[in-house]
Amino acid sequence: METKKTRILLIYTGGTIGMVKDYDTGNLKAFNFKKLLSNIPELHQLDCVIETISLDEPIDSSNMDPGHWGKIASVIEDQYDAYDGFVVLHGSDTMSYSASALSFMLENLSKPVIFTGSQLPIGDLRTDAKENLITSIQIAAVQERGRPVIQEVCVYFEYKLFRANRTTKINAEHFEAFQSLNYPPLAESGVHLKIYRENLLSRSRPKKLKVHKLLDTSVGILKLFPGITESFFKNILECEGLKALIIETYGAGNAPTYDWFTTNLKNAIKTGLIIVNVTQCSGGSVIMGKYETSQQLKKLQIINGKDITTEAAITKLMYLLGSNVSSGSIKTIFETSLRGEMK
Ligand code: ASP
């Protein structure tokens, strides 16, 4: 009996992986996607059908915004039945944001969506792009009894597959650019490809994919620092149109206990501003009430971001506000893990 080949769609958005050097300026700039494929003839050896699609204008991921996320989501929605898995080629700088956003936008996902990129351009002799791309495709193609084994949005970089909404870019130079400090890897590639099934999101039975493209960007992030002034803090809280603010607090979710800090926070909450407490540490969790310096936040009913990354928190807020979740239920929903993004 002839077995059907797995079909993978590569979605190219830009980033170093597809860049070349402009020798006049010395800058790296995006180039035509067709050249990317001709640079990796090894792709033809993979036992799956690989097709490609590119954003109209490939970009450096510093220019990514929710509009681009909507376009990526639309491609996946339109091609969902035609492919078994999707690999998104994306710049590493904002990859954790985009991949986290997509994890919320794609509800009931039952196929792999794997984001990957590289630190060195594909044409570079020492490039990390080939391994990242080839293994991402191989992982996206893993099936069991005719169904994909990975059924979530992931980031693959330097031999490790992570849940997307658990990742953070931690290094601008090393090939190991991403970390997932609060959740173990989903797979590792060595001589063999090891998938840690116990870490994967499990689905009881496939449901119809629902794509949410409406994201609300009336959100912000404030990182606390010793010496923060009242006027700066107040100005942020009173920023016109702001609906929700993530405060990156210290350690296990601690903040100053100065009167002006608490009073301004209280006033902002009274006017309807949603506040989320996320730790500025790369690993570990917010535990509100553990220290005296987080008691006031607990009393104010601030949302507990627990062990969520800032990237997942900001995109989760955009998604929840875009879905018109009522102000009465946003705390409960935010504090619930929707796509495995928090404990
Ligand atoms: N600046 C590039 C980008 O994020 C870096 C990379 O691709 O790794 O698009």
Side-chain angles (χ1 to χ4, degrees), residues 8-13 33 51-56 67-89 102 105-106 109 111-113 115 209 211-213:
I8 304 296
L9 182 63
L10 293 189
I11 305 170
Y12 178 56
T13 70
F33 182 60
E51 281 168 5
T52 60
I53 190 164
S54 176
L55 286 192
D56 296 342
H68 296 105
W69 299 339
K71 284 187 188 156
I72 301 171
S74 294
V75 170
I76 295 172
E77 183 177 31
D78 295 346
Q79 305 296 331
Y80 197 64
D81 294 332
Y83 294 91
D84 301 293
F86 302 86
V87 173
V88 182
L89 300 175
L102 264 290
M105 294 164 83
L106 304 172
L109 186 67
K111 298 187 177 183
V113 174
F115 277 72
L209 178 77
V211 183
H212 305 269
K213 282 178 244 172

Side-chain angles (χ1 to χ4, degrees), residues 246-279:
I246 293 170
I247 302 189
E248 278 198 0
T249 54
Y250 307 123
N254 307 316
T257 49
Y258 321 134
D259 281 347
W260 63 256
F261 188 87
T262 315
T263 309
N264 281 298
L265 214 47
K266 210 187 264 172
N267 292 342
I269 293 169
K270 251 191 228 146
T271 65
L273 187 67
I274 297 158
I275 310 272
V276 183
N277 184 356
V278 170
T279 173

Side-chain angles (χ1 to χ4, degrees), residues 14-19 59-63 90-95 117-120 157 169 178:
T16 301
I17 194 160
M19 285 187 177
I59 53 168
D60 185 295
S61 77
S62 301
N63 287 320
H90 191 289
S92 63
D93 289 347
T94 62
M95 187 183 291
S118 66
Q119 292 282 56
L120 283 176
F157 228 87
K169 183 170 180 182
F178 289 88

Side-chain angles (χ1 to χ4, degrees), residues 119-186:
Q119 292 282 56
L120 283 176
I122 202 109
D124 194 291
L125 210 52
R126 295 173 46 253
T127 188
D128 51 332
K130 286 190 187 183
E131 200 286 320
N132 285 347
L133 177 56
I134 291 170
T135 309
S136 295
I137 296 172
Q138 280 185 322
I139 293 174
V142 177
Q143 300 240 332
E144 191 179 65
R145 278 184 253 121
R147 280 180 57 196
V149 169
I150 314 272
Q151 305 188 6
E152 56 184 293
V153 183
C154 306
V155 164
Y156 180 80
F157 228 87
E158 193 61 5
Y159 305 111
K160 287 198 180 117
L161 182 77
F162 297 116
R163 174 165 306 146
N165 53 36
R166 290 291 195 155
T167 61
T168 301
K169 183 170 180 182
I170 45 107
N171 202 299
E173 295 175 6
H174 293 170
F175 285 148
E176 204 175 333
F178 289 88
Q179 266 298 355
S180 160
L181 284 162
N182 285 334
Y183 198 78
L186 306 183

